[in-house]
């Protein structure tokens, strides 16, 4: 039978490789499989074992938000991710609404003007739109500098963080005033 012939050839090949030192030794294979989980356990059992061990050793759930002291770089990293998600969601919703809603941009702009929202509310809305765009853009430039290997010293990280925050506020105020 052809299947049996293939198995015999494979066994012969593996045996000859092992004799020539082409395969790892038994002691090496034991080291590789020392931490292997027996096939009889399920993932549920393994998770229960994991949590029982952590409870017994009184370990915290790590990384957990309560064990870290908040810092500017940490908050800026979280904010960068949040503004990225918000901007991509906002652009997607805007594009979807442009496809689905009747009329064109000028008709929607006329609708907003007819609401007579007042300058303070319009300025606030423009600032709310400009702030995440400017923050994500300026913090992105900061990340590009890090990609080039510059600004990794702790004082530089904080200085660049405060610079990004200050420039974000200034440019957002300026853009909202347009």
């Amino acid at each position: 039978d052809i299947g049996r012939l293939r198995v015999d050839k494979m066994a012969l090949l593996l045996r000859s490789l092992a004799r020539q030192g082409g395969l790892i030794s038994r002691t090496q294979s034991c080291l590789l499989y020392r931490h292997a989980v027996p096939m009889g356990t399920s993932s549920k059992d393994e998770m229960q074992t994991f949590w029982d061990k952590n409870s017994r050793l009184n370990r915290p759930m790590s990384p957990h938000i309560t064990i870290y002291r908040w810092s500017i770089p940490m908050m800026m990293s979280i904010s960068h991710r949040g503004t990225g998600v918000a901007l991509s969601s906002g652009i997607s919703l805007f594009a979807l609404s442009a496809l689905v809603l009747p009329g064109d941009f000028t008709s929607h702009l006329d609708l907003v003007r007819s609401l007579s929202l007042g300058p303070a509310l319009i300025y606030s809305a423009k600032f709310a739109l400009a702030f995440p765009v400017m923050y994500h853009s300026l913090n992105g430039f900061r990340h590009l500098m890090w990609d080039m290997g510059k600004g990794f010293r702790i004082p530089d990280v904080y200085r660049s963080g405060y610079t990004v925050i200050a420039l974000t506020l200034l440019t957002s105020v300026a853009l909202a005033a347009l």
Side-chain angles (χ1 to χ4, degrees):
D1 157 277
I2 294 178
R4 179 73 184 152
L5 183 62
R6 286 183 183 167
V7 170
D8 290 340
K9 283 185 178 181
M10 181 60 80
L12 183 62
L13 177 65
L14 289 174
R15 206 173 305 132
S16 65
L17 281 172
R19 285 183 183 147
Q20 295 172 5
L23 296 177
I24 59 174
S25 68
R26 227 176 232 183
T27 55
Q28 288 172 329
S29 67
C30 289
L31 290 174
L32 288 175
Y33 295 114
R34 185 172 62 188
H35 299 290
V37 176
M39 292 297 288
T41 61
S42 68
S43 60
K44 184 178 179 182
D45 295 335
E46 288 302 315
M47 286 304 295
Q48 190 59 47
T49 304
F50 172 79
W51 288 115
D52 289 344
K53 180 181 176 184
N54 283 345
S55 296
R56 186 179 68 249
L57 295 175
N58 201 17
R59 291 178 175 165
M61 287 175 40
S62 182
H64 196 268
I65 205 163
T66 60
I67 65 171
Y68 295 110
R69 195 184 80 201
W70 284 87
S71 65
I72 291 294
M74 180 191 299
M75 288 185 281
M76 291 188 70
S77 174
I78 293 168
S79 300
H80 188 75
R81 294 163 196 238
T83 55
V85 169
L87 289 171
S88 63
S89 299
I91 289 171
S92 298
L93 287 174
F94 182 79
L96 186 62
S97 66
L99 288 173
V100 174
L101 295 175
D104 58 354
F105 181 73
T106 55
S107 64
H108 295 289
L109 193 58
D110 290 338
L111 173 68
V112 171
R113 285 186 183 139
S114 71
L115 295 174
S116 300
L117 297 175
L121 190 56
I122 294 206
Y123 181 82
S124 300
K126 286 166 48 173
F127 182 83
L129 290 173
F131 186 84
V133 171
M134 293 313 303
Y135 176 78
H136 196 76
S137 299
L138 293 169
N139 204 37
F141 289 132
R142 179 178 178 224
H143 279 268
L144 287 174
M145 293 303 292
W146 288 347
D147 289 343
M148 291 188 285
K150 297 180 183 345
F152 278 120
R153 289 189 0 245
I154 297 300
D156 293 339
V157 170
Y158 277 87
R159 189 178 312 112
S160 66
Y162 289 125
T163 303
V164 165
I165 292 170
L167 287 175
T168 299
L169 288 172
L170 291 173
T171 54
S172 298
V173 166
L175 284 173
L178 293 177

